[in-house]
């Protein structure tokens, strides 16, 4: 993509309504524009990041054996009355009436609808286990939407639902989701710590939130510092192996890590003082096991193979896809702008032409552009006739992790400059070598 043909409405001034770093930078870098309170249009650059995050979520869910689907954003209130949640959910649910005076709602979550789909088509234990998920827009009518996409009213979310014959089977699904979430977040350049949490209106006894540590986090968190040293890495795991999944759960949840809602001061005090940490965290996902809460209420029964019919055991598992854009920025930025991790960057490399219109510079930039495209990478070529300082400022603001600077002086010696956004370090390389270097950098991030 050539920047002269791209829609990138960057702002020089920080909007007055933006209170936290991610909100300021998303507005300034032209990722989003507010449509109304807590509701945003996703502009081309922001949309690319959103889709990169979505694709990683899809890949890791499918790797874990979960089936993608799509449910509507508007649901019938009748299903929620069956489960007992229509009146209990609270003012965050946007309730509407259609032209036939039928009560409807804009979905904040989909346990009822997925249970209705399940009970209509699954009757036997032979069809279990089953986990389906979607990535879809949701709406919760926050009384005070703030912090941009971090606490908006409309948000993009992955919500998955498992159906199992027994509690043991469902807890394996819970463990499987925990493992897949650890892989998902690490691929995005994040460390998301699983913390014992409160289930809220979803219900259930077993639940963990995944929180990214950040000063602007909405939750106060208490944890053993040892957990911050854990990484899942690129280890291979068999999602059908219960012992493997259970071992990962124990590794990542055996140390103390809780939100303020479930914090136990007495238990926390037993941790050595030098390892006690109190911080703020941003929730980017949550997993639940809630047993037969919905299957009992809505009659989601299966033959158990022994002549009886039993309610299925269920869980639900969410990842805040749009919220992750803000969380990544909160965790990865500097005074000049965003610093995208390689796994989610909207463009893999920025090409800056220091002398647009110079034949040798234009030719070198065009050659680099074509070379990257042929390698399956997406370059952003700043071919504007702006001064060099403005081009560098734009690249720093939008946060591409690698920048190639092409100028007459370097080309005279057969080189261009490759700069790492995170460290600021640069090296001079030939055109062929810089392409090979960038391809090498992204090889582990290509899915």
């Amino acid at each position: 993509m050539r920047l002269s043909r791209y829609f990138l409405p960057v702002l020089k001034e920080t909007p007055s309504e933006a209170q936290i770093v991610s909100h300021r930078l998303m507005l300034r870098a032209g990722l989003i524009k507010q449509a109304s309170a807590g509701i945003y249009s996703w502009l081309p650059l922001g949309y690319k990041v959103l889709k990169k995050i979505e694709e990683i979520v899809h890949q890791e869910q499918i790797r874990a054996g979960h089936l993608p689907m799509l449910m509507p954003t508007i649901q019938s209130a009748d299903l929620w009355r069956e489960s007992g949640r229509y009146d209990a959910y609270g003012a965050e649910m946007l309730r509407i009436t259609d032209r036939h005076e039928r009560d409807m709602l804009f979905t904040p979550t989909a346990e009822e609808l997925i249970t209705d789909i399940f009970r209509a088509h699954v009757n036997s234990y032979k069809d279990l286990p089953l986990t389906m998920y979607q990535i879809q827009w949701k709406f919760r009518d926050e009384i005070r939407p703030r912090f941009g996409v971090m606490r908006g009213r409309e948000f993009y979310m992955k919500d998955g639902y498992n159906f199992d014959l027994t509690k043991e089977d469902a807890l394996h699904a819970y463990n499987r989701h925990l493992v897949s979430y650890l892989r998902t977040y690490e691929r995005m350049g994040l460390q998301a710590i699983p913390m014992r949490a409160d289930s809220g209106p979803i219900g259930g006894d077993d639940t963990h939130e995944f929180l990214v540590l950040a000063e602007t986090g909405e939750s106060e968190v208490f944890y053993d510092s040892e957990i911050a040293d854990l990484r899942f890495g690129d280890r291979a795991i068999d999602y059908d192996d219960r012992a493997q999944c259970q071992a990962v759960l124990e590794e990542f949840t055996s140390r103390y890590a809780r939100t303020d809602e479930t914090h136990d001061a007495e238990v926390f005090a037993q941790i050595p003082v030098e390892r006690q940490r109190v911080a703020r965290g941003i929730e980017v996902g949550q997993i639940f096991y809630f047993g037969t809460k919905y299957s009992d209420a809505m009659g989601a029964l299966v033959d158990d193979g022994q002549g009886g019919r039993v309610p299925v055991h269920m869980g639900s598992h969410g990842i805040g896809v749009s919220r992750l854009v803000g969380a990544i920025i909160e965790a990865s930025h500097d005074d000049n702008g965003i610093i995208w991790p390689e796994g989610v960057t909207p463009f893999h490399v920025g090409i800056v032409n220091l002398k647009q219109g110079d034949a040798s510079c234009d030719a070198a930039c065009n050659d680099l552009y074509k070379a990257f495209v042929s390698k399956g990478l997406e370059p952003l070529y700043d071919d504007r006739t702006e001064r060099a300082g403005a081009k560098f400022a734009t690249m720093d603001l939008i946060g591409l992790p690698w920048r190639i600077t092409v100028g007459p002086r370097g080309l005279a010696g057969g080189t261009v400059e490759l700069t790492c956004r995170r460290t600021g370090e640069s090296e001079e390389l030939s055109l062929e070598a810089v392409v090979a270097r960038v391809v090498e950098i992204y090889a582990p991030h290509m899915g």
Side-chain angles (χ1 to χ4, degrees), residues 257-295:
R258 299 193 184 191
T259 63
D260 50 0
E261 295 174 318
T262 59
H263 177 55
D264 187 323
E266 291 185 6
V267 177
F268 188 62
Q270 297 172 19
I271 301 168
V273 174
E274 66 273 14
R275 293 187 356 226
Q276 294 178 13
R277 297 288 186 274
V278 181
R280 309 293 301 180
I282 300 169
E283 182 198 342
V284 292
Q286 190 163 3
I287 56 177
F288 302 86
Y289 161 71
F290 44 69
T292 59
K293 172 183 171 72
Y294 296 94
S295 52

Side-chain angles (χ1 to χ4, degrees), residues 65 93 120 153 200 206 230 234 239 249 357 360 374 405:
M93 181 189 290
R153 293 193 293 164
D206 293 273
L230 297 177
D234 58 358
Y239 281 104
L249 174 99
S360 62
S374 72
T405 304

Side-chain angles (χ1 to χ4, degrees), residues 42 53 103 198 360:
W42 288 79
I53 291 172
D103 291 330
D198 180 70
S360 62

Side-chain angles (χ1 to χ4, degrees), residues 197-324:
D198 180 70
S199 61
I202 300 292
D205 298 323
D206 293 273
T207 179
H208 281 86
E209 285 180 349
F210 291 78
L211 288 103
V212 175
L213 300 179
E215 293 179 0
T216 52
E218 72 271 52
S219 301
E220 188 173 31
V221 297
F222 303 80
Y223 65 98
D224 182 336
S225 64
E226 283 191 347
I227 199 168
D229 297 326
L230 297 177
R231 299 290 186 276
F232 187 83
D234 58 358
R235 69 181 85 172
I237 190 162
D238 180 355
Y239 281 104
D240 293 326
D241 189 320
R242 298 193 177 203
Q244 277 192 24
C245 292
Q246 179 66 26
V248 174
L249 174 99
E250 292 172 358
E251 177 185 354
F252 281 84
T253 64
S254 59
R255 297 164 181 82
Y256 191 94
R258 299 193 184 191
T259 63
D260 50 0
E261 295 174 318
T262 59
H263 177 55
D264 187 323
E266 291 185 6
V267 177
F268 188 62
Q270 297 172 19
I271 301 168
V273 174
E274 66 273 14
R275 293 187 356 226
Q276 294 178 13
R277 297 288 186 274
V278 181
R280 309 293 301 180
I282 300 169
E283 182 198 342
V284 292
Q286 190 163 3
I287 56 177
F288 302 86
Y289 161 71
F290 44 69
T292 59
K293 172 183 171 72
Y294 296 94
S295 52
D296 276 331
M298 300 181 67
L301 310 176
V302 295
D303 295 332
D304 63 3
Q306 300 177 9
R309 289 181 62 77
V310 296
V312 291
H313 288 254
M314 293 176 57
S316 66
H317 316 276
I319 290 179
V321 176
S322 54
R323 169 177 272 240
L324 272 166

